Amino acid sequence: MLTRPVIEIAPRTWLISEYKLVNMYLLEGDKAALLIDCGTGIGNVAQTVAQLTDKPLTVAITHGHFDHDGAAALFPAVYIHPLDIPLSEEGYREGEQAREWYAKTRGPVRNPEASEEELLALVQKNGPVTRLPLEEGTLFDLGGRTVEVIHTPGHSMGSVCMLDRENRLLFTGDMANDSLLLNCGESSSTVKVYNQSMRKLWEREGEFDFICLGHDALDKWDKTMILDYIEATDNLLSGKAKGEPGGNALHSGIGYQYKRVLIWYDPARLE
């Protein structure tokens, strides 16, 4: 039977993997819980969360792409940065078609042991979504545990990262993964803006020990990946390096590989 990996990566901190397609994170404090991202809507993550905590739950979304907020209808409301609300609404209009496309295209790469039929059988239906504004500096007080919202335009203009102060974890959404997409049209930032966001995060690296990625890793990750992205985008902005046309099983376009990271970007949108 196909199972959804659930891994406790720190005390009362669970990585909930959407069948290895997308990572979500459940953080529990003494009085409340926070779910960071809710996945595409393949399987019912709300049921998984209910099995892990009975604390009052808030759902906060790192950015408006449907693979991170596609299950929003399973919850009373979700918080998302205002700049990404139109992006979220656009993706959600595709509904089940978007989820089916994601299962068919990402499933064979990220979870080859899962059959297409198994994943498609788990696709959730659309429903009404209540989106609440998530702003820079917002603090979620979970009781003995505080999570701070940091606005980091890049992968999308409304992307945010979330800093768990007490557990010294930074949740990056899609701002840091094995690869980065900056070629999503006007919904993505320029390379320069992304570089500034990553520098903003690294200025605070003394406040976190690990980063937690939106895809790929099923555990905490080395925070110096942020430095790889800063150096890579420095190279692109200075003209020291440039990308080449290419593609892989997940993405295509102009790509630049540097150390542990791969950036897909639009050469016309450097500055």
Side-chain angles (χ1 to χ4, degrees), residues 197-230:
S197 290
M198 298 306 273
R199 288 181 176 277
K200 176 181 178 180
L201 292 176
W202 195 249
E203 286 174 358
R204 302 185 61 175
E205 62 87 18
E207 299 177 56
F208 57 92
D209 298 323
F210 298 97
I211 59 176
C212 302
L213 312 183
H215 298 277
D216 308 320
L218 295 180
D219 200 349
K220 305 182 296 294
W221 202 247
D222 180 0
K223 67 180 180 181
T224 62
M225 177 182 273
I226 294 173
L227 280 180
D228 289 354
Y229 272 116
I230 291 172

Side-chain angles (χ1 to χ4, degrees), residues 5 36 38 44-45 91 94 118 122 126 132 140 164 166 173 254:
I36 299 175
C38 60
N44 192 321
V45 67
E94 300 296 325
E118 285 178 308
L122 295 168
N126 262 9
L132 303 174
F140 293 106
D164 178 355
E166 286 73 20
I254 304 298

Side-chain angles (χ1 to χ4, degrees), residues 27 34-37 58-63 78-82 132-142 145-153 157-165 169-172 200-201 204 207:
L27 285 57
L34 175 69
L35 179 65
I36 299 175
D37 288 339
T58 298
V59 181
I61 306 299
T62 59
H63 63 288
V78 299
Y79 284 86
I80 186 169
H81 195 280
L132 303 174
L134 183 65
E135 303 284 0
E136 164 84 17
T138 296
L139 298 177
F140 293 106
D141 180 2
L142 307 182
R145 188 173 195 178
T146 306
V147 180
E148 177 187 352
V149 175
I150 305 171
H151 181 211
T152 50
M157 294 307 297
S159 283
V160 301
C161 294
M162 301 191 203
L163 175 63
D164 178 355
R165 293 175 172 177
L169 300 173
L170 181 72
F171 299 86
T172 63
K200 176 181 178 180
L201 292 176
R204 302 185 61 175
E207 299 177 56

